[in-house]
Amino acid sequence: KYTSVAGLLKEKGYSTAFFHGGTNGTMGFDSYSKLVGFDHYYGRTEYNNEKDYDGKWGIRDEEFLQYTADILNKTKEPFIGALFTLSSHHPYFVPGRYANVFRKGSLPIQQSIMYTDHALRQFFKTARQMPWFENTLFVITADHTSEGYYPFYQSNVGQYAIPMLFYMPGQKDLKGNSGVVAQQTDIMPTVLGFLGYDRDYLAFGSDLFDSTSNAPRFSIHYISGLYGMMKEGWYIEYDGQKPTSLFDLKEAMLQTQH
């Protein structure tokens, strides 16, 4: 049994939907989303227009994000929607009409990231016209970095240094940057806390907006047989039997950025 933000909010009357433009069954997203409480899944099959297929991963981001906005606009409120984009994966597909619009960058992936940024920008242009926009909390994050240009993002620490953005139009309290160590498991309790969720639940993270909490701030990941944990300015690696290395995070970041 899994606790998810979709399953918990469904009990509060929320409509729930998961969106992924990839071929249905990819990474098990369709079956997993149902397992954790999403009532509806929208993928390449539901999109049902192969002229927007990129030939490799699924429906192109720009078109699929517009489709997502349209479906959400037809979804009974309140709702929670999760969207997993396609771009920024090899072979770094960029539609032909944008071949000379976005600069190449220093790595092939960078042009496809610019395309993803464009698709997201177009999504917000569309969503901004919809009645639910002003009252919606948007959470934007990534799974990990890929083919980093700067040395830091090629390190075991940097590969998992990703942005996590919380945005709600007109919400003045959500302004500024935080240097607190966080991880993806913090998203659910942060969202539930923001919404004023009033029931007990199980979570592996903590509410990032709760300044009164004594919960430890840490991040854990696993790569190439090593577990890594960042906490209180330190990064430690562990092979399952014993610690293998310990770094001062500030010193390590300075060394890998030059």
Side-chain angles (χ1 to χ4, degrees):
K1 293 183 179 180
Y2 292 90
T3 301
S4 80
V5 67
L8 293 174
L9 290 180
K10 183 166 66 172
E11 296 174 357
K12 287 285 191 176
Y14 278 66
S15 303
T16 58
F18 192 99
F19 300 85
H20 179 236
T23 302
N24 291 50
T26 300
M27 291 183 278
F29 279 161
D30 49 357
S31 57
Y32 180 77
S33 64
K34 292 177 182 177
L35 178 67
V36 298
F38 285 97
D39 287 329
H40 301 285
Y41 180 88
Y42 298 93
R44 178 181 170 189
T45 299
E46 289 74 18
Y47 184 84
N48 195 30
N49 190 344
E50 289 299 287
K51 74 179 183 62
D52 294 330
Y53 176 54
D54 69 4
K56 174 68 175 180
W57 290 100
I59 305 302
R60 294 189 287 266
D61 275 344
E62 184 175 8
E63 286 79 6
F64 194 78
L65 265 66
Q66 293 299 306
Y67 169 77
T68 298
D70 182 60
I71 293 295
L72 289 176
N73 201 41
K74 299 173 182 176
T75 301
K76 183 179 180 296
E77 297 181 46
F79 60 72
I80 176 170
L83 167 68
F84 195 100
T85 59
L86 286 187
S87 300
S88 307
H89 286 87
H90 187 273
Y92 309 126
F93 174 82
V94 174
R97 65 183 181 276
Y98 295 123
N100 298 315
V101 173
F102 307 123
R103 59 187 175 86
K104 297 293 184 180
S106 302
L107 300 171
I109 191 175
Q110 290 174 324
Q111 189 180 45
S112 71
I113 290 174
M114 293 178 199
Y115 168 67
T116 304
D117 284 346
H118 168 76
L120 192 59
R121 185 180 300 113
Q122 297 305 110
F123 168 83
F124 275 102
K125 282 184 179 179
T126 299
R128 192 173 290 117
Q129 308 303 316
M130 297 177 171
W132 44 265
F133 181 74
E134 293 288 335
N135 197 40
T136 299
L137 173 66
F138 296 90
V139 182
I140 305 172
T141 191
D143 49 359
H144 56 79
T145 63
S146 180
E147 296 189 34
Y149 175 74
Y150 293 103
F152 171 69
Y153 293 103
Q154 299 171 15
S155 68
N156 282 3
V157 175
Q159 285 187 57
Y160 289 91
I162 58 173
M164 187 183 295
L165 296 89
F166 296 87
Y167 167 60
M168 186 172 183
Q171 175 57 254
K172 295 181 179 180
D173 293 338
L174 292 183
K175 287 187 176 181
N177 300 319
S178 173
V180 171
V181 172
Q183 58 184 343
Q184 289 166 328
T185 52
D186 294 323
I187 293 176
M188 184 180 80
T190 302
V191 169
L192 294 177
F194 185 83
L195 295 176
Y197 188 81
D198 59 358
R199 299 180 183 177
D200 291 337
Y201 63 90
L202 175 67
F204 292 103
S206 57
D207 183 351
L208 296 172
F209 296 154
D210 185 0
S211 59
T212 65
S213 173
N214 293 319
R217 304 300 188 192
F218 63 91
S219 176
I220 294 177
H221 64 253
Y222 177 82
I223 183 171
S224 302
L226 292 174
Y227 299 90
M229 181 174 75
M230 284 168 273
K231 182 181 178 183
E232 298 177 358
W234 295 90
Y235 174 68
I236 188 171
E237 289 184 327
Y238 176 76
D239 66 4
Q241 299 294 326
K242 62 184 183 304
T244 58
S245 58
L246 178 69
F247 298 96
D248 181 309
L249 272 177
K250 290 184 178 179
E251 183 178 328
M253 289 177 70
L254 288 173
Q255 289 177 348
T256 54
Q257 285 178 330
H258 294 289

